[in-house]
PDB file of all heavy atoms in Angstrom:
ATOM      1  N   ASP C  52     103.200 116.242 118.906  1.00 83.00           N
ATOM      2  CA  ASP C  52     102.017 116.179 118.080  1.00 83.00           C
ATOM      3  C   ASP C  52     101.828 117.466 117.358  1.00 83.00           C
ATOM      4  O   ASP C  52     101.916 118.620 117.792  1.00 83.00           O
ATOM      5  CB  ASP C  52     100.833 115.985 118.993  1.00 83.00           C
ATOM      6  CG  ASP C  52     100.777 114.568 119.558  1.00 83.00           C
ATOM      7  OD1 ASP C  52     101.555 113.657 119.037  1.00 83.00           O
ATOM      8  OD2 ASP C  52     100.027 114.281 120.415  1.00 83.00           O
ATOM      9  N   GLU C  53     101.435 117.258 116.000  1.00 89.00           N
ATOM     10  CA  GLU C  53     100.967 118.394 115.231  1.00 89.00           C
ATOM     11  C   GLU C  53      99.444 118.272 114.879  1.00 89.00           C
ATOM     12  O   GLU C  53      98.951 117.055 114.680  1.00 89.00           O
ATOM     13  CB  GLU C  53     101.745 118.437 113.853  1.00 89.00           C
ATOM     14  CG  GLU C  53     103.167 118.816 113.870  1.00 89.00           C
ATOM     15  CD  GLU C  53     103.720 119.018 112.459  1.00 89.00           C
ATOM     16  OE1 GLU C  53     102.965 119.203 111.566  1.00 89.00           O
ATOM     17  OE2 GLU C  53     104.976 118.967 112.427  1.00 89.00           O
ATOM     18  N   VAL C  54      98.742 119.401 115.007  1.00 91.00           N
ATOM     19  CA  VAL C  54      97.280 119.334 114.897  1.00 91.00           C
ATOM     20  C   VAL C  54      96.924 120.325 113.655  1.00 91.00           C
ATOM     21  O   VAL C  54      97.452 121.328 113.619  1.00 91.00           O
ATOM     22  CB  VAL C  54      96.578 119.815 116.189  1.00 91.00           C
ATOM     23  CG1 VAL C  54      95.117 119.789 115.931  1.00 91.00           C
ATOM     24  CG2 VAL C  54      96.906 118.999 117.331  1.00 91.00           C
ATOM     25  N   ARG C  55      96.091 119.739 112.787  1.00 91.00           N
ATOM     26  CA  ARG C  55      95.715 120.530 111.621  1.00 91.00           C
ATOM     27  C   ARG C  55      94.174 120.401 111.464  1.00 91.00           C
ATOM     28  O   ARG C  55      93.575 119.305 111.691  1.00 91.00           O
ATOM     29  CB  ARG C  55      96.244 119.994 110.415  1.00 91.00           C
ATOM     30  CG  ARG C  55      97.886 120.200 110.278  1.00 91.00           C
ATOM     31  CD  ARG C  55      98.159 121.646 110.120  1.00 91.00           C
ATOM     32  NE  ARG C  55      99.583 121.849 109.946  1.00 91.00           N
ATOM     33  CZ  ARG C  55     100.443 122.094 110.864  1.00 91.00           C
ATOM     34  NH1 ARG C  55      99.950 122.127 112.176  1.00 91.00           N
ATOM     35  NH2 ARG C  55     101.783 122.224 110.702  1.00 91.00           N
ATOM     36  N   TYR C  56      93.561 121.583 111.150  1.00 94.00           N
ATOM     37  CA  TYR C  56      92.032 121.505 110.935  1.00 94.00           C
ATOM     38  C   TYR C  56      91.839 121.753 109.383  1.00 94.00           C
ATOM     39  O   TYR C  56      92.635 122.508 108.721  1.00 94.00           O
ATOM     40  CB  TYR C  56      91.400 122.630 111.748  1.00 94.00           C
ATOM     41  CG  TYR C  56      91.614 122.478 113.277  1.00 94.00           C
ATOM     42  CD1 TYR C  56      92.718 123.120 113.867  1.00 94.00           C
ATOM     43  CD2 TYR C  56      90.739 121.767 113.905  1.00 94.00           C
ATOM     44  CE1 TYR C  56      92.860 123.015 115.106  1.00 94.00           C
ATOM     45  CE2 TYR C  56      90.991 121.569 115.311  1.00 94.00           C
ATOM     46  CZ  TYR C  56      92.016 122.254 115.947  1.00 94.00           C
ATOM     47  OH  TYR C  56      92.241 122.046 117.282  1.00 94.00           O
ATOM     48  N   GLY C  57      90.760 121.114 108.824  1.00 92.00           N
ATOM     49  CA  GLY C  57      90.509 121.361 107.432  1.00 92.00           C
ATOM     50  C   GLY C  57      88.993 121.474 107.119  1.00 92.00           C
ATOM     51  O   GLY C  57      88.171 120.873 107.949  1.00 92.00           O
ATOM     52  N   ALA C  58      88.690 122.083 106.131  1.00 94.00           N
ATOM     53  CA  ALA C  58      87.391 122.130 105.564  1.00 94.00           C
ATOM     54  C   ALA C  58      87.403 122.334 103.999  1.00 94.00           C
ATOM     55  O   ALA C  58      88.245 123.061 103.565  1.00 94.00           O
ATOM     56  CB  ALA C  58      86.479 123.275 106.210  1.00 94.00           C
ATOM     57  N   GLY C  59      86.550 121.816 103.352  1.00 93.00           N
ATOM     58  CA  GLY C  59      86.415 121.901 101.934  1.00 93.00           C
ATOM     59  C   GLY C  59      85.586 120.900 101.305  1.00 93.00           C
ATOM     60  O   GLY C  59      84.723 120.240 101.831  1.00 93.00           O
ATOM     61  N   LEU C  60      85.833 120.612  99.927  1.00 93.00           N
ATOM     62  CA  LEU C  60      85.078 119.697  99.282  1.00 93.00           C
ATOM     63  C   LEU C  60      85.871 118.383  98.924  1.00 93.00           C
ATOM     64  O   LEU C  60      87.028 118.601  98.338  1.00 93.00           O
ATOM     65  CB  LEU C  60      84.612 120.281  97.865  1.00 93.00           C
ATOM     66  CG  LEU C  60      83.510 121.426  98.000  1.00 93.00           C
ATOM     67  CD1 LEU C  60      83.146 121.836  96.532  1.00 93.00           C
ATOM     68  CD2 LEU C  60      82.282 120.810  98.700  1.00 93.00           C
ATOM     69  N   ARG C  61      85.458 117.235  99.363  1.00 93.00           N
ATOM     70  CA  ARG C  61      86.235 116.060  98.929  1.00 93.00           C
ATOM     71  C   ARG C  61      85.946 115.839  97.511  1.00 93.00           C
ATOM     72  O   ARG C  61      87.018 115.346  96.767  1.00 93.00           O
ATOM     73  CB  ARG C  61      85.741 114.889  99.804  1.00 93.00           C
ATOM     74  CG  ARG C  61      86.348 113.533  99.440  1.00 93.00           C
ATOM     75  CD  ARG C  61      87.876 113.596  99.845  1.00 93.00           C
ATOM     76  NE  ARG C  61      88.601 112.372  99.489  1.00 93.00           N
ATOM     77  CZ  ARG C  61      88.966 112.000  98.314  1.00 93.00           C
ATOM     78  NH1 ARG C  61      88.947 112.830  97.259  1.00 93.00           N
ATOM     79  NH2 ARG C  61      89.596 110.871  98.127  1.00 93.00           N
ATOM     80  N   ARG C  62      84.720 115.924  96.997  1.00 94.00           N
ATOM     81  CA  ARG C  62      84.382 115.781  95.621  1.00 94.00           C
ATOM     82  C   ARG C  62      83.261 116.690  95.188  1.00 94.00           C
ATOM     83  O   ARG C  62      82.437 116.995  96.100  1.00 94.00           O
ATOM     84  CB  ARG C  62      84.065 114.314  95.317  1.00 94.00           C
ATOM     85  CG  ARG C  62      85.115 113.284  95.525  1.00 94.00           C
ATOM     86  CD  ARG C  62      84.586 111.942  95.217  1.00 94.00           C
ATOM     87  NE  ARG C  62      85.496 110.906  95.497  1.00 94.00           N
ATOM     88  CZ  ARG C  62      85.934 110.328  96.613  1.00 94.00           C
ATOM     89  NH1 ARG C  62      85.308 110.749  97.730  1.00 94.00           N
ATOM     90  NH2 ARG C  62      86.854 109.418  96.697  1.00 94.00           N
ATOM     91  N   ALA C  63      83.332 117.185  94.093  1.00 95.00           N
ATOM     92  CA  ALA C  63      82.137 117.871  93.483  1.00 95.00           C
ATOM     93  C   ALA C  63      82.169 117.487  91.907  1.00 95.00           C
ATOM     94  O   ALA C  63      82.730 117.996  91.027  1.00 95.00           O
ATOM     95  CB  ALA C  63      82.344 119.422  93.490  1.00 95.00           C
ATOM     96  N   ARG C  64      81.403 116.437  91.711  1.00 94.00           N
ATOM     97  CA  ARG C  64      81.369 115.589  90.550  1.00 94.00           C
ATOM     98  C   ARG C  64      80.147 115.823  89.663  1.00 94.00           C
ATOM     99  O   ARG C  64      79.064 115.888  90.127  1.00 94.00           O
ATOM    100  CB  ARG C  64      81.428 114.085  90.880  1.00 94.00           C
ATOM    101  CG  ARG C  64      81.916 113.187  89.739  1.00 94.00           C
ATOM    102  CD  ARG C  64      83.258 113.299  89.328  1.00 94.00           C
ATOM    103  NE  ARG C  64      84.193 113.262  90.330  1.00 94.00           N
ATOM    104  CZ  ARG C  64      84.697 112.100  90.867  1.00 94.00           C
ATOM    105  NH1 ARG C  64      84.338 110.937  90.321  1.00 94.00           N
ATOM    106  NH2 ARG C  64      85.621 112.069  91.824  1.00 94.00           N
ATOM    107  N   LEU C  65      80.363 115.944  88.333  1.00 95.00           N
ATOM    108  CA  LEU C  65      79.294 116.040  87.380  1.00 95.00           C
ATOM    109  C   LEU C  65      79.648 115.170  86.253  1.00 95.00           C
ATOM    110  O   LEU C  65      80.692 115.054  85.648  1.00 95.00           O
ATOM    111  CB  LEU C  65      79.271 117.479  86.753  1.00 95.00           C
ATOM    112  CG  LEU C  65      78.103 117.738  85.804  1.00 95.00           C
ATOM    113  CD1 LEU C  65      76.671 117.658  86.443  1.00 95.00           C
ATOM    114  CD2 LEU C  65      78.307 119.078  85.067  1.00 95.00           C
ATOM    115  N   GLN C  66      78.600 114.284  85.882  1.00 95.00           N
ATOM    116  CA  GLN C  66      78.814 113.273  84.988  1.00 95.00           C
ATOM    117  C   GLN C  66      77.722 113.596  83.823  1.00 95.00           C
ATOM    118  O   GLN C  66      76.507 113.710  84.120  1.00 95.00           O
ATOM    119  CB  GLN C  66      78.492 111.934  85.480  1.00 95.00           C
ATOM    120  CG  GLN C  66      78.595 110.788  84.450  1.00 95.00           C
ATOM    121  CD  GLN C  66      78.144 109.377  85.040  1.00 95.00           C
ATOM    122  OE1 GLN C  66      77.116 108.874  84.797  1.00 95.00           O
ATOM    123  NE2 GLN C  66      79.092 108.784  85.688  1.00 95.00           N
ATOM    124  N   VAL C  67      78.115 113.480  82.561  1.00 95.00           N
ATOM    125  CA  VAL C  67      77.279 113.820  81.422  1.00 95.00           C
ATOM    126  C   VAL C  67      77.444 112.661  80.483  1.00 95.00           C
ATOM    127  O   VAL C  67      78.529 112.352  80.017  1.00 95.00           O
ATOM    128  CB  VAL C  67      77.577 115.111  80.716  1.00 95.00           C
ATOM    129  CG1 VAL C  67      76.588 115.315  79.556  1.00 95.00           C
ATOM    130  CG2 VAL C  67      77.373 116.243  81.703  1.00 95.00           C
TER     131      VAL C  67
END
Side-chain angles (χ1 to χ4, degrees):
D52 289 346
E53 287 190 21
V54 181
R55 293 289 186 272
Y56 301 91
L60 293 177
R61 179 65 179 87
R62 295 176 182 86
R64 192 70 52 85
L65 180 66
Q66 179 188 101
V67 178

